[in-house]
Amino acid sequence: MTNTKYGGAVDTDLIDSTSATALNTYSDELITFTDNQGNPATQAWYRINGVFDTGTSVLENVESLLTCCDSWMAYNAAQGQWSIVVNKAENASLYFDDNNIIGDIRVSTVDINQTVNQIEAKFPSKLNKDIPDYVYLETPSNLLYPNEPINKYTTEFALLNDSVQAQYLANRVLEQAREDLTITIATTYYGIQANAGDVVA
């Protein structure tokens, strides 16, 4: 973001470096999995092992980078800074109730035709000289809604070359697609402190 030759040349004062440090710390935590020999193993959550295309826009490169660590970029208007939001479990930072909700509470779900139940993720495999490989996953049939049509989602993890990480990310996308409850409220001035990525209750 701050690189003046290939990056966005954004002033360091406009970058929330604390959020980047938080992502680095989280990325170093270990996940457990079963290797191809059937043995338990561990590795770090996220590692970036890819090459940026300098002919692509800075924003597209940043989005590709953050996709490979299940995060996204947000602009915090209150602080006037760009920050990283890590997609992980958090405690609620804001609470909405009868004291600060105005009017009705609308609850809806995503259209069944828009619910992702298959995913195909492309990534360069380190096991085969970074030649493209694919992860393909499906939602188990017992979790599908009655008469749910097939809805395949295709994505690319261009900046990682590890099959475990690719499978993990693809599975997260697939599982989170089942969490489709949308709640809409109008709030008092209290809500102005909410930022994209905040966990609320």
Side-chain angles (χ1 to χ4, degrees), residues 105-155:
I105 300 173
R106 295 187 296 281
V107 181
S108 61
T109 59
V110 175
D111 184 348
I112 193 172
N113 294 306
Q114 303 299 319
T115 303
V116 174
N117 48 36
Q118 297 181 358
I119 183 169
E120 181 182 84
K122 178 182 176 182
F123 71 100
S125 175
K126 67 182 178 183
L127 300 177
N128 196 16
K129 299 181 180 178
D130 286 347
I131 292 174
D133 199 353
Y134 293 86
V135 169
Y136 181 79
L137 299 172
E138 294 182 5
T139 300
S141 58
N142 63 313
L143 296 179
L144 296 176
Y145 299 114
N147 303 315
E148 181 177 336
I150 293 174
N151 190 9
K152 182 179 174 183
Y153 175 69
T154 303
T155 188

Side-chain angles (χ1 to χ4, degrees), residues 51-74:
V51 179
F52 280 118
D53 179 0
T54 55
T56 303
S57 73
V58 173
L59 184 58
E60 287 178 294
N61 275 331
V62 169
E63 287 176 348
S64 180
L65 173 70
L66 293 176
T67 296
C68 291
C69 48
D70 199 17
S71 304
W72 66 89
M73 183 72 69

Side-chain angles (χ1 to χ4, degrees), residues 151-187:
N151 190 9
K152 182 179 174 183
Y153 175 69
T154 303
T155 188
E156 181 176 4
F157 302 130
L159 297 177
L160 65 87
N161 63 2
D162 180 77
S163 63
V164 173
Q165 187 176 341
Q167 289 181 56
Y168 171 77
L169 287 170
N171 194 57
R172 280 183 67 112
V173 171
L174 201 58
E175 288 190 5
Q176 288 181 156
R178 313 311 291 177
E179 305 294 331
D180 60 355
L181 191 65
T182 302
I183 300 174
T184 306
I185 62 170
T187 180

